[in-house]
Amino acid sequence: MKAAHAGWVFVSPALFMIAVFFLLPVLAALGLSLTDFDIYALARLDNLRFVGGGNYLRLLQTPLFWKALGNTLFFVIVGVPLSIVASLAAALLLHSAVARGKAIFRTALFAPVVTTLVAVAVIWNYLLHTRYGLINEVLGWVGISPIDWLGDPRWSMPAIILFAVWKNAGFNMVIFLAALQSIPEELYEASRIEGATALQQLRFVTLPSLAPTMVLVSILTMAGYFQLFAEPYVMTQGGPLQSTTSVLYFMYEEGFKWWNLGSASAVAFLLFLLMFAVTLLQSFALRRWSEP
Amino acid sequence: MTLAGAEQAVRCLSIAALVCGLASCARPDSGEIVLEFWAMGREGEVVAELTRDFEARHRGIRVNVQQLPWQGAHEKLLTAFVGDATPDLAQMGNTWVPEFATLGALAPLEPLASASALVEQGDYFPGIWDTNVIDGRLFGVPWYVDTRLLFYRRDLLAQAGFSQPPRSWEEWRRMLVAIKRLPGAEHYSILVPLNEFEPLLLLGLQQDEPLLREGGRWGNFRSPGFRRALGFYLELFEQELAPRATNTQIANVWNEFARGYFAFYITGPWNIGEFKRRLPPELAGSWMTAPLPGPSGPGLSNAGGSSLVMFANSSRKEAAWKLIEYLSQPEVQRRFYALSGDLPPRRSSWEGSELGGDVYAAAFREQLERVEPTPKVPEWERIATELRVVAEQAAHGALTADAAVSELDARADRILEKRRWILAREAGE
Amino acid sequence: MRPQPRALLVNAALLAAAVVSLGPLAWMVSVSFMAPGEASSSPPPLLPRAATLENYHQLFARTGMGRGFANSLFLATAATLLALCFNVTAGYAFAKLRFAGRERIFRLLLGALIIPAQVAMIPLFLLLKQLGLVNTYLGVLLPSVANVFGIFLVRQYALSIPDELLEAARIDGAGEFRLFWSIVLPSLSPILVTLAIFTFLGSWNDFLWPLIVLTDDDRHTLPVALASLTREHVQDSELMMAGGVITVLPVLVLFLVLQRYYIQGLLAGSIKG
């Protein structure tokens, strides 16, 4: 009986904070997205109009919203697999029996994860510079003419993907590494007795054992990549030609630059619905994989 | 058990209290008035020199200058207004004044100005003064004027066979083509940064038709005049006279100008100082300023600049007005010009200063006779942003000129929808 | 003993990956010691001609980075203390104390994890406006003091505390708070370090929220100060790199020192126990 009371006492401060500073605002955002709350309404509340689904309808007719959605999906669809492949490759190398100095390499490959995004974006801005950038310099050695990474709308999103993969690959690498270490040695023994080559081991032992981890990692990475914001904010300000305007960047401008809070809330909700649908699909996949 | 719960809550709250205690760095209260003054960019850097002198004259007032980067300044001011965190006074781009006045963020200044011995309306350039008058009320005092015109390389122009800067679009076009054809390393004729809306805006202001129609209720970008302006703008990129680049991609504008990467640059008076400071000495005689050429002879430019505004929320209006008065005095404005290169908005500040003798400022003096304000609607800043976005798309060839002007009107009309509704409601009341 | 070709290949690949990983960071440090304008040439120099501390001097003398450093340090420390206070008790209770609705509430919290924080951002700003907390440190801190991930992390770890240990103490007459203070907390200490480093790094690196809440540049955190520096001094890359070094160095050092705890937390958080 005492413990039951204690339980409530222990959780209530945290629950109170989460309720007031998260759940309540989420509900308020839903309400806000049904109004045309804007700067006029901030000045005088009787300038507020209830517009129902008007914001959502208008967004669906706004080219920039679709462009932002397209950019974000491009970032997710290309960036997530690339990021996962890079992480997996790094994990397999580190896990290899012949690798030396594992601890040092692991730390080196993980370091970009903990760095401050704004600061490393500054470096990458420079590495990607058309005429003075190290990246074009290196491409020049193999005869590729300079690419206008951040100025050409075709290359700006790939440049940001490159940067994101560099920054985030270490995170999933650590997760894969743990999963690799937990694969029972007997499985490899058995396959060796059957005369499997290293490649066959990878295909028939390692990868299937990693499948649940793979789905989990893709859920986490995808959720993160959907929330692309700081990279374009710092590196390109959403340009050139709005080719790096992500959904969240669009929301930020709509909300905190122009103070169309109603419309910005609607953007946030549309993003949430999209993420929710995708996560649902992935959880379904996870359940299928996890079944013994 | 509730007692224990309270104990637990107290523990957490005491940490929170400790945090708050640490956060509110207790400043000693010496009874002096501290004015919060926000200024942007370079002005924010140099104005501290003037405020020190002001503090010496007004014992008991301290001025705390905060410098905002131009790029985020508009957002910052709006956020501060929404969050009730506005300063006492601020520098404000005069195109933003209508917006903040409409919101009720600014304190009206006409009673103070008419009673002031130091701020004389008659001494100001009328077009510049007028940008601060919204619906007959004054909300700002001009601090400096900023109109854009041509900075160009005389030597490159001479190389291409011209001895005078252009006086009309036609002449200008011929020069740009000739400069592009000059031999040598990869170069362009003019830099028109794609992350600025000003170049296209200026070409649009040079036309007879206004940018918005019916009292700022609808966009007017499909008018023949604006269509002509956009055509001229796009030609610069189509014929590779201007690089399709933003400012951030040109690593260093001054270096590139010195290298001859481009020969013309449309920019403002602050760059007179920057050019003097940053260009190599051997180029000192090779660059000059010139008024903007117009479609058929000398052209208009924008009545830009910054005003000093006071916020309605300020509890230190009297002291804030003293600072505005101080910064408005001709001798202070002359000092300010020396520090920043910003051109003063008062005729008497121009007279008897080194400005009169400055060869680079002469073009500005001429241009100030021909300036045009942008539409005075709160939404203008947003429409200008759309102008930039659509112009960039058109420059990259993603939109035809005709599609671009239709798109601009559509976007402007959408942005102005709430304004139309509010105006209609007011008319009905 | 001839080295096997496979070993050579694997280690060469690892070395290349490490160069790609650390190269940009090393280059940032190198450029930060270059003279103004030196990095803007083709090919880009890898090392400064003559190392200079001028950029750092400029950074602290002319920009708000010094102040930003103090703000970041303070905010990250405060966020860490508050997060420990709110999340540890809750995490422990969800693991070890029986109370009505425990499982349902916990599932609800985990469900809330899929709502992106940005959905709440706009009303949260209006809420802070009502509370008069815009442009205050508290406004930056409050929304993140209790977070589901932290609670989850502590709960996972607390599940491993043996029930007998707690029961024995209860029989000896210890109250729930004494028990928490003298038995639970000490046995949770590894995860406390993990939670602390996670919170500290998260707070230090956070960008969007402080950008929105803090209007006063006296209160800007390092990333926000650096972002405005990059917009204002776009031409001075060497200065910006120095700013980058100042921003990144503390978190890198902290990570290197407490690496084990960080990785442990990362794994506990992602691989559901």
Side-chain angles (χ1 to χ4, degrees), chain A residues 5 9 36 38-40 42-43 46-47 49 129 131-132 148 151 241-242 252 254 257-260, chain B residues 1 5 75 78-79 82 102-103 249 251 256 259 378-379 382 385 389 392-393 396 417-418 421-422 425:
Chain A
H5 273 294
V9 171
D36 74 343
D38 62 0
I39 196 113
Y40 286 113
L42 276 167
D46 68 345
N47 286 333
R49 293 178 292 181
H129 194 277
R131 277 177 304 157
Y132 308 130
D148 186 1
L241 278 186
Q242 296 167 316
Y252 172 83
E254 196 68 11
K257 185 166 182 182
W258 308 117
W259 293 95
N260 290 327
Chain B
M1 209 50 236
E75 288 153 66
L78 270 178
T79 310
V82 176
T102 305
L103 286 173
Q249 290 161 267
E256 301 299 351
R259 286 180 203 191
E379 290 85 356
R382 188 153 193 197
T385 305
V389 169
E392 188 184 18
Q393 288 181 343
H396 277 277
E417 186 273 331
K418 186 118 182 193
W421 176 73
I422 286 176
R425 197 181 55 168

Side-chain angles (χ1 to χ4, degrees), chain A residues 157-233:
Chain A
M157 196 46 108
I160 284 189
I161 289 173
L162 207 64
F163 170 65
V165 169
W166 172 81
K167 176 138 177 29
N168 303 321
F171 191 92
N172 292 332
M173 174 190 81
V174 168
I175 294 175
F176 280 132
L177 207 52
L180 284 171
Q181 282 156 357
S182 67
I183 298 175
E185 191 53 37
E186 300 84 79
L187 289 181
Y188 289 111
E189 276 305 320
S191 72
R192 259 198 295 275
I193 289 165
E194 286 172 24
T197 62
L199 257 180
Q200 283 173 319
Q201 281 192 352
L202 179 69
R203 210 187 126 190
F204 295 108
V205 181
T206 312
L207 289 181
S209 316
L210 284 182
T213 311
M214 192 80 89
V215 178
L216 185 83
V217 157
S218 71
I219 290 181
L220 287 173
T221 312
M222 218 174 243
Y225 276 33
F226 265 115
Q227 300 179 36
L228 171 70
F229 168 77
E231 292 90 338
Y233 182 90

Side-chain angles (χ1 to χ4, degrees), chain C residues 76-266:
Chain C
T77 310
T80 306
L81 285 175
L82 286 168
L84 284 174
C85 171
F86 280 88
N87 297 325
V88 173
T89 48
Y92 158 69
F94 277 121
K96 286 290 162 190
L97 298 174
R98 309 214 164 281
F99 55 94
R102 182 177 85 166
E103 297 311 313
R104 211 157 355 118
I105 294 172
F106 189 68
R107 267 204 304 277
L108 194 75
L109 284 184
L110 284 188
L113 270 179
I114 57 165
I115 304 176
Q118 292 84 3
V119 172
M121 205 167 258
I122 288 164
L124 200 51
F125 185 86
L126 294 175
L127 177 68
L128 290 188
K129 170 180 157 71
Q130 289 306 321
L131 298 172
L133 290 177
V134 173
N135 194 26
T136 63
Y137 292 129
L138 213 52
V140 180
L141 290 169
L142 279 183
S144 60
V145 291
N147 77 68
V148 179
F149 177 75
I151 293 173
F152 174 77
L153 201 65
V154 175
R155 175 180 173 269
Q156 294 304 86
Y157 195 86
L159 284 171
S160 64
I161 300 176
D163 282 325
E164 302 77 49
L165 185 70
L166 302 178
E167 283 312 318
R170 284 191 185 112
I171 289 163
D172 287 347
E176 289 299 328
F177 282 97
R178 266 264 323 276
L179 181 78
F180 175 75
W181 202 252
S182 52
I183 294 176
V184 176
L185 269 187
S187 57
L188 286 180
S189 55
I191 207 70
L192 296 191
V193 179
T194 302
L195 181 61
I197 178 175
F198 259 85
T199 315
F200 192 93
L201 291 186
S203 168
W204 182 277
N205 291 341
D206 191 17
F207 173 63
L208 181 54
W209 188 240
L211 173 79
I212 290 167
V213 175
L214 299 170
T215 53
D216 209 328
D217 67 358
D218 278 354
R219 298 183 187 167
H220 278 178
T221 58
L222 269 182
V224 178
L226 184 63
S228 52
L229 187 75
T230 56
R231 294 190 157 202
E232 199 61 9
H233 294 269
V234 70
Q235 325 283 6
D236 307 325
S237 18
E238 295 77 12
L239 185 72
M240 290 190 302
M241 295 292 176
V245 172
I246 299 290
T247 310
V248 169
L249 206 61
V251 280
L252 270 184
V253 169
L254 195 67
F255 164 70
L256 286 178
V257 174
L258 297 170
Q259 190 175 178
R260 195 165 53 88
Y261 294 100
Y262 186 93
I263 302 280
Q264 177 188 22
L266 189 156

Side-chain angles (χ1 to χ4, degrees), chain B residues 119-140:
Chain B
V119 177
E120 294 172 58
Q121 187 186 335
D123 192 29
Y124 286 79
F125 295 113
I128 300 293
W129 181 270
D130 181 57
T131 53
N132 300 286
V133 180
I134 317 298
D135 299 329
R137 306 188 68 187
L138 180 74
F139 286 100

Side-chain angles (χ1 to χ4, degrees), chain B residues 16 26 44 72 119 123 172 217 231 316:
Chain B
V119 177
D123 192 29
W172 196 15
R217 281 178 174 82
R316 295 174 282 269

Side-chain angles (χ1 to χ4, degrees), chain B residues 23 71 116 179 200 325 332 344 407:
Chain B
Q71 272 213 299
S116 168
I179 290 169
L200 178 56
E325 281 190 316
V332 178
E407 182 60 24

Side-chain angles (χ1 to χ4, degrees), chain B residues 46-265:
Chain B
V46 302
V47 75
E49 292 236 359
L50 303 177
T51 55
R52 268 201 293 279
D53 182 44
F54 170 81
E55 286 167 345
R57 292 186 199 196
H58 298 83
R59 295 268 169 234
I61 304 182
R62 213 161 55 75
V63 185
N64 192 8
V65 180
Q66 174 169 172
Q67 196 195 338
L68 308 181
W70 267 113
Q71 272 213 299
H74 183 257
E75 288 153 66
K76 215 65 196 166
L77 283 163
L78 270 178
T79 310
F81 163 71
V82 176
D84 298 321
T86 46
D88 297 298
L89 70 162
Q91 167 193 359
M92 186 178 276
N94 63 12
T95 52
W96 308 347
V97 173
E99 178 179 13
F100 284 87
T102 305
L103 286 173
L106 304 181
L109 301 177
E110 65 272 13
L112 293 165
S114 56
S116 168
L118 295 169
V119 177
E120 294 172 58
Q121 187 186 335
D123 192 29
Y124 286 79
F125 295 113
I128 300 293
W129 181 270
D130 181 57
T131 53
N132 300 286
V133 180
I134 317 298
D135 299 329
R137 306 188 68 187
L138 180 74
F139 286 100
V141 175
W143 191 21
Y144 63 84
V145 291
D146 170 12
T147 185
R148 300 197 172 202
L149 38 67
L150 292 179
F151 283 59
Y152 67 100
R153 286 274 302 265
R154 279 161 128 172
D155 51 341
L156 293 176
L157 211 57
Q159 231 179 314
F162 299 93
S163 57
Q164 290 294 326
R167 301 297 283 175
S168 70
W169 283 11
E170 201 41 54
E171 263 183 39
W172 196 15
R173 210 180 261 126
R174 278 205 305 276
M175 289 179 195
L176 292 169
V177 172
I179 290 169
K180 179 71 189 180
R181 287 195 191 132
L182 289 176
E186 187 209 9
H187 68 279
Y188 293 89
S189 313
I190 181 167
L191 175 63
V192 182
L194 286 173
N195 57 340
E196 294 182 354
F197 58 79
E198 285 86 351
L200 178 56
L201 171 68
L202 298 183
L203 299 174
L205 281 173
Q206 293 184 333
Q207 312 298 332
D208 298 327
E209 300 96 332
L211 295 166
L212 303 179
R213 58 195 170 83
E214 291 177 45
R217 281 178 174 82
W218 305 93
N220 197 26
F221 295 102
R222 276 171 300 183
S223 61
F226 189 81
R227 177 66 187 72
R228 203 166 35 238
L230 182 67
F232 182 81
Y233 179 82
L234 294 179
E235 245 176 65
L236 300 175
F237 298 101
E238 281 157 12
Q239 304 183 10
E240 304 228 316
L241 304 172
R244 287 188 174 89
T246 62
N247 258 348
T248 44
Q249 290 161 267
I250 305 288
N252 183 321
V253 175
W254 304 281
N255 279 358
E256 301 299 351
F257 185 76
R259 286 180 203 191
Y261 189 64
F262 51 86
F264 282 105
Y265 184 29

Side-chain angles (χ1 to χ4, degrees), chain B residues 269-348:
Chain B
W270 71 90
N271 252 329
I272 295 179
E274 296 286 345
F275 273 52
K276 284 178 182 172
R277 203 172 19 254
R278 293 182 183 249
L279 292 184
E282 59 271 20
L283 268 182
S286 314
W287 63 279
M288 192 33 77
T289 56
L292 272 191
S296 51
L300 290 167
S301 190
N302 61 322
S306 279
S307 303
L308 295 165
V309 300
M310 212 154 78
F311 286 89
N313 263 347
S314 167
S315 56
R316 295 174 282 269
K317 290 198 177 73
E318 205 180 320
W321 179 251
K322 278 189 184 137
L323 180 57
I324 292 179
E325 281 190 316
Y326 170 80
L327 292 172
S328 303
Q329 296 171 67
E331 64 270 24
V332 178
Q333 293 196 337
R334 285 195 281 265
R335 260 189 71 200
F336 182 57
Y337 162 74
L339 288 168
S340 65
D342 287 329
L343 304 177
R346 298 180 66 154
R347 295 192 184 92
S348 53

